[in-house]
């Protein structure tokens, strides 16, 4: 029923346009014969006059149909559709001129010029009026209105304004623009004026009753973006931004592509400068295996590795959906890169040996791990199986199959761990350092803190709480964490791998620790709400195994700067000879006695954990 109504509505619109165009051509050619001097045709010429006008109508409508004048959605029409329309009318005029001369109807050339001009005025204006009226009626029916201030007055802003004017859902009304280029001041784009600079944003938000601020500056530097975002954040209004320039070029801009500002914009982080030549030299022609490839860290590692001239990139994960999505993405972005997706668990040593025998990796990045602190407190056996014995399995396979380099992805929670997850990751670090003294494989590990936007990050959790209207839950008002972005962490991990000599712990510069409550408040403001009023923040207390502050170094570890600004190194530590025997002893308690299992881990790392409550 709905389909038939839509079809009927479409046919009615086309018939109305067709009737108007018929009338327009008739008026255009009639007026041309009346006002052009020396025209031999008039109303009194009977057959000749009607042959002249009638043939013009038939030819013009046929050409307009050929140029899709009746199949275009004129409410969304832009310059290309208008150009097609003008070209069609010009072509129809030329054909009419030739056809009339063949019939012996000698109308002067100025007559055709006048006719074409009148056609454009009548037919073109009908499309413009249709679009304006449709947009006005659509807006008048909508109960949702967003008055938008646009930051930037370039190509992206132009496309954004068009997208807002064309939206058929929530109505976005572009009100004013700001731009720091003085040459653009007081200029108009699609009727929207540049009225100030980015420093004027707070004043303009009040003056023009702005509901939303759109950052239409996809190519601006991160430093400048942060500066502008801080100004916009102070207004308390919702902020959105456009997708990346690459996405814009491939997919264009629509209201649905507007994105909330990423909290990573507000991190005090310098942009990374990688030594691409050294990385390329270390990776070119190599087969690289990434475990946990479907996870947030593993997938970004794969994206960064794919930029270099690998022989093959092997994705290994137990969860096929995320890994499969990643493989399709890599094949689309890097069609020349050979990728292989293999499903399996790092707990399964037999499967790992099959994989290593099949693909023969040169380099392994081991990112597979259980990372959620509270969950591992409840399931210590699973943490041991995955983080300890999984690491042991992958590392032994690397040694057995003559892998040249092995890099473990570790965490700041491995430093003075108070929880099961951190303790198992510290044990994994010790396994790597133990094997580095006894293997031809170059074993190393990279230790860093929380990664914004990862599966274990508070960011997705806070976003959901804000979307539900709050409250946002924070464990403690003083709790802090180190943060970096996923791409930053992945890039630094790869760069660290080029420095490894064997057994080192590489520590990434995490910057200053961030108070979680400050993070929560900024995310609430980014969503356009007032913290504590519209969205409340509730403190729930520290969870089992959770620390107020994270550390990146053990007391006995001495840190040394490397040649790269954000990468530091800790020299290898001696691990006792009976270490592996004590690790294997944990098997007796897995899934049988959690208390003895935890006691065994405590013995390995030399530290008591917080009791599970």
């Amino acid at each position: 029923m709905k389909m038939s109504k839509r079809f009927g509505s479409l046919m009615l619109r086309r018939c109305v346009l067709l009737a108007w165009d018929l009338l327009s051509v008739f008026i255009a050619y009639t007026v041309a014969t009346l006002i052009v001097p020396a025209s031999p045709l008039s109303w009194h010429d009977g057959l000749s006059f009607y042959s002249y006008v009638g043939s013009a109508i038939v030819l013009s409508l046929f050409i307009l149909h050929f140029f899709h004048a009746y199949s275009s959605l004129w409410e969304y029409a832009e310059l290309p559709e208008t150009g097609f329309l003008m070209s069609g009318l010009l072509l129809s005029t030329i054909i009419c001129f030739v056809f009339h001369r063949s019939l012996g109807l000698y109308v002067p050339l100025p007559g055709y010029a006048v006719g074409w001009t009148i056609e454009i005025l009548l037919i073109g204006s009908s499309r413009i009026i249709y679009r304006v009226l449709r947009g006005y009626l659509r807006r008048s029916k909508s109960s949702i209105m967003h008055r938008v201030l646009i930051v930037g007055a370039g190509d992206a802003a132009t496309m954004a304004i068009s997208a807002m004017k064309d939206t058929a859902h929530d109505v976005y009304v572009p009100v004013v623009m700001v731009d720091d280029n003085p040459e653009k001041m007081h200029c108009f784009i699609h009727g929207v004026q540049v009225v100030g600079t980015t420093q004027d944003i707070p004043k303009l938000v009040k003056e023009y009753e702005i509901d939303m601020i759109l950052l239409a500056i996809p190519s601006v530097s991160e430093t400048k973006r942060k500066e502008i975002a801080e100004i916009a954040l102070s207004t308390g209004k919702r902020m959105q931004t456009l997708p990346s320039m690459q996405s814009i070029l491939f997919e264009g801009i629509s209201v649905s592509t507007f994105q909330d500002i990423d909290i990573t914009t507000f991190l005090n982080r310098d942009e990374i400068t990688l030594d691409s030549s050294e990385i390329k030299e270390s990776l070119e022609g190599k087969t690289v295996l990434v475990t946990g490839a479907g996870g947030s860290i593993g997938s970004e590692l794969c994206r960064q590795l794919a930029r270099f001239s690998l022989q093959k990139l092997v994705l290994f994960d137990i969860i096929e959906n995320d890994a499969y999505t990643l493989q399709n993405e890599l094949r689309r972005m890097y069609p020349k890169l050979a990728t292989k997706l293999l499903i399996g668990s790092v707990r399964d040593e037999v499967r790992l040996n099959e994989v290593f025998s099949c693909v023969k990796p040169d380099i392994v990045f081991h990112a597979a791990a259980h990372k959620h602190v509270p969950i591992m407190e409840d399931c210590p056996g699973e943490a041991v199986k995955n983080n300890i014995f999984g690491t042991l399995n992958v590392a032994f396979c690397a040694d057995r199959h003559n892998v040249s380099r092995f890099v473990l992805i570790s965490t700041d929670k491995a430093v003075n761990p108070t929880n099961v997850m951190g303790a198992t990751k510290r044990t994994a670090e010790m396994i790597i350092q133990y094997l580095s003294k006894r293997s031809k494989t170059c074993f190393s590990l990279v230790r860093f803190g929380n990664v914004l936007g990862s599966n274990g990050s508070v960011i997705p959790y806070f976003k959901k709480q804000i979307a539900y209207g709050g409250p946002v839950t924070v464990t403690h008002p003083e709790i802090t964490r180190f943060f970096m972005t996923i791409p930053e962490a992945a890039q630094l991990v790869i760069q660290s791998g080029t420095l490894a000599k064997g057994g080192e712990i590489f520590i990434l510069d995490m910057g200053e620790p961030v108070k979680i409550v400050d993070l929560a408040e900024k995310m609430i403001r980014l969503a356009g709400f007032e913290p504590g009023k519209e969205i409340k923040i509730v403190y729930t207390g520290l969870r089992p195994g959770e620390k107020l502050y994270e550390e990146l170094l053990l007391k006995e570890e001495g840190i040394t700067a490397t040649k790269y600004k954000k990468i530091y190194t800790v020299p290898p530590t001696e691990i006792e000879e009976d270490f592996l025997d004590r690790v294997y002893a944990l098997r007796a308690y897995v899934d049988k006695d959690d208390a003895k299992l935890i006691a065994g881990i405590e013995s390995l790392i030399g530290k008591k954990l917080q009791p599970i409550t």
Side-chain angles (χ1 to χ4, degrees):
M1 184 69 176
K2 288 183 179 179
M3 187 65 73
S4 61
K5 283 185 178 180
R6 289 176 184 171
F7 180 76
S9 175
L10 177 64
M11 292 307 296
L12 177 62
R13 289 203 304 270
R14 288 181 176 176
C15 289
V16 170
L17 283 175
L18 188 65
W20 174 256
D21 291 351
L22 187 153
L23 180 62
S24 298
V25 176
F26 176 79
I27 292 171
Y29 280 86
T30 300
V31 171
T33 62
L34 295 176
I35 67 175
V36 174
S39 175
L41 297 178
S42 70
W43 290 91
H44 305 291
D45 288 329
L47 184 60
S48 296
F49 177 81
Y50 290 113
S51 297
Y52 163 74
V53 174
S55 59
I57 290 173
V58 172
L59 290 170
S60 296
L61 295 184
F62 176 79
I63 296 298
L64 286 175
H65 174 73
F66 179 77
F67 276 77
H68 307 292
Y70 307 110
S71 56
S72 293
L73 297 174
W74 286 98
E75 61 266 37
Y76 304 118
E78 293 288 349
L79 190 59
E81 285 82 5
T82 305
F84 279 141
L85 182 66
M86 294 180 68
S87 300
L89 290 173
L90 178 61
L91 179 62
S92 68
T93 302
I94 294 171
I95 293 175
C96 284
F97 172 77
V98 175
F99 183 72
H100 291 157
R101 288 299 170 96
S102 69
L103 293 179
L105 301 174
Y106 293 95
V107 176
L109 276 174
Y112 291 95
V114 170
W116 179 66
T117 303
I118 296 174
E119 279 183 317
I120 290 177
L121 290 174
L122 293 175
I123 295 176
S125 63
S126 67
R127 270 60 174 182
I128 295 171
I129 292 170
Y130 173 71
R131 178 178 175 178
V132 171
L133 285 176
R134 184 177 175 85
Y136 175 78
L137 291 172
R138 189 168 57 218
R139 282 171 167 77
S140 65
K141 291 178 182 178
S142 176
S143 60
I144 304 174
M145 299 284 285
H146 300 292
R147 292 175 61 82
V148 182
L149 180 149
I150 302 163
V151 179
D155 293 338
T158 303
M159 290 188 283
I161 292 170
S162 295
M164 283 187 275
K165 289 188 173 183
D166 289 338
T167 181
H169 303 291
D170 291 358
V171 178
Y172 291 79
V173 181
V175 179
V176 289
M177 292 185 292
V178 296
D179 198 288
D180 289 334
N181 184 349
E183 295 180 1
K184 295 182 179 180
M185 197 61 58
H186 306 303
C187 292
F188 286 84
I189 296 179
H190 293 328
V192 182
Q193 188 178 21
V194 179
V195 296
T197 67
T198 53
Q199 296 298 321
D200 299 320
I201 290 174
K203 177 187 70 175
L204 296 173
V205 164
K206 293 179 181 179
E207 183 179 342
Y208 289 92
E209 299 180 341
I210 297 299
D211 303 308
M212 191 182 93
I213 298 170
L214 177 68
L215 302 188
I217 43 176
S219 58
V220 76
S221 69
E222 288 303 317
T223 302
K224 185 64 175 177
R225 178 184 291 273
K226 179 180 181 296
E227 178 186 325
I228 296 170
E230 290 282 6
I231 296 171
L233 187 66
S234 69
T235 67
K237 299 301 179 182
R238 184 183 182 189
M239 279 193 289
Q240 287 200 309
T241 186
L242 300 181
S244 66
M245 189 57 90
Q246 184 180 20
S247 297
I248 291 173
L249 292 174
F250 279 102
E251 301 172 13
I253 294 176
S254 66
V255 170
S256 63
T257 63
F258 293 177
Q259 303 168 352
D260 289 332
I261 297 287
D262 196 323
I263 190 64
T264 59
T265 301
F266 298 93
L267 280 180
N268 292 311
R269 311 290 296 172
D270 296 328
E271 295 183 16
I272 299 175
T273 303
L274 295 179
D275 186 347
S276 298
S277 60
E278 186 171 12
I279 295 175
K280 182 180 179 181
E281 184 179 345
S282 69
L283 294 176
E284 190 169 15
K286 301 292 196 303
T287 296
V288 180
L289 169 69
V290 179
T291 69
S296 48
I297 301 297
S299 61
E300 186 61 31
L301 271 173
C302 292
R303 292 185 188 97
Q304 300 292 340
L305 289 165
R307 297 161 47 199
F308 300 94
S309 304
L310 306 180
Q311 178 178 336
K312 183 183 293 183
L313 179 58
V314 183
L315 319 179
F316 185 77
D317 206 305
I318 187 64
I319 302 173
E320 72 274 17
N321 291 341
D322 292 339
Y324 178 69
T325 300
L326 173 64
Q327 185 186 40
N328 287 338
E329 176 189 332
L330 294 175
R331 284 177 171 174
R332 184 178 69 254
M333 298 292 291
Y334 305 96
K336 294 182 180 179
L337 172 65
T339 61
K340 191 172 185 66
L341 171 58
L342 295 172
I343 301 301
S345 171
V346 294
R347 303 179 182 188
D348 187 345
E349 191 174 7
V350 174
R351 175 58 177 156
L352 282 171
N353 273 308
E354 290 175 354
V355 169
F356 275 72
S357 298
C358 173
V359 300
K360 296 179 172 54
D362 300 297
I363 301 168
V364 173
F365 288 91
H366 180 44
H370 285 322
K371 304 178 181 72
H372 289 267
V373 170
I375 297 175
M376 293 305 103
E377 290 298 297
D378 293 333
C379 310
E382 299 306 304
V384 169
K385 291 179 199 174
N386 219 58
N387 296 354
I388 294 179
F389 289 112
T391 299
L392 197 60
N393 290 339
V394 180
F396 272 161
C397 280
D399 173 65
R400 190 177 300 122
H401 293 273
N402 301 312
V403 170
S404 63
R405 275 190 289 138
F406 180 104
V407 181
L408 169 71
I409 311 301
S410 191
T411 169
D412 57 359
K413 292 176 177 60
V415 180
N416 295 319
T418 59
N419 52 66
V420 170
M421 194 283 280
T424 56
K425 291 297 286 184
R426 175 57 189 154
T427 306
E429 290 185 353
M430 296 169 73
I431 289 170
I432 296 308
Q433 294 191 310
Y434 178 88
L435 292 177
S436 71
K437 301 287 188 179
R438 297 159 177 83
S439 172
K440 292 181 180 179
T441 297
C442 177
F443 285 97
S444 65
L445 63 100
V446 182
R447 185 190 289 164
F448 53 88
N450 295 270
V451 179
L452 286 171
S454 67
N455 293 334
S457 168
V458 296
I459 304 303
Y461 186 59
F462 284 171
K463 282 183 177 179
K464 288 181 180 178
Q465 290 182 322
I466 293 168
Y468 293 143
V472 172
T473 56
V474 178
T475 57
H476 193 282
E478 297 301 320
I479 193 168
T480 64
R481 289 293 181 263
F482 293 102
F483 284 105
M484 64 168 40
T485 65
I486 296 176
E488 182 179 16
Q491 291 172 42
L492 291 174
V493 165
I494 296 170
Q495 188 76 78
S496 300
T498 66
L499 297 170
K501 304 297 181 185
E504 303 99 331
I505 298 177
F506 291 101
I507 297 174
L508 306 186
D509 177 7
M510 301 293 297
E512 294 299 317
V514 177
K515 289 184 73 171
I516 300 300
V517 66
D518 292 344
L519 198 68
E521 288 178 351
K522 281 190 173 178
M523 289 188 66
I524 292 170
R525 287 196 177 95
L526 282 173
F529 300 105
E530 182 67 24
K533 294 181 180 179
E534 295 173 291
I535 301 284
K536 293 188 178 299
I537 296 177
V538 175
Y539 298 105
T540 58
L542 292 176
R543 299 171 296 181
E546 191 170 40
K547 294 193 290 185
L548 270 180
Y549 314 103
E550 297 291 4
E551 307 160 273
L552 288 169
L553 281 173
L554 293 167
K555 288 182 180 179
E556 63 271 18
E557 294 176 337
I559 191 168
T560 304
T562 68
K563 61 182 179 179
Y564 298 115
K565 182 179 178 182
K566 292 191 175 187
I567 303 174
Y568 299 87
T569 185
V570 174
T573 56
E574 290 296 328
I575 308 296
E576 297 173 356
E577 282 294 329
D578 66 342
F579 172 73
L580 275 189
D581 294 332
R582 292 159 60 203
V583 170
Y584 284 126
L586 297 177
R587 291 190 189 276
Y589 309 117
V590 172
D591 297 331
K592 296 175 183 176
D593 192 326
D594 286 352
K596 289 183 178 180
L597 181 64
I598 291 173
I601 300 171
E602 291 174 335
S603 174
L604 282 169
I605 65 173
K607 190 178 188 309
K608 293 284 288 183
L609 305 182
Q610 291 181 359
I612 301 175
T613 57

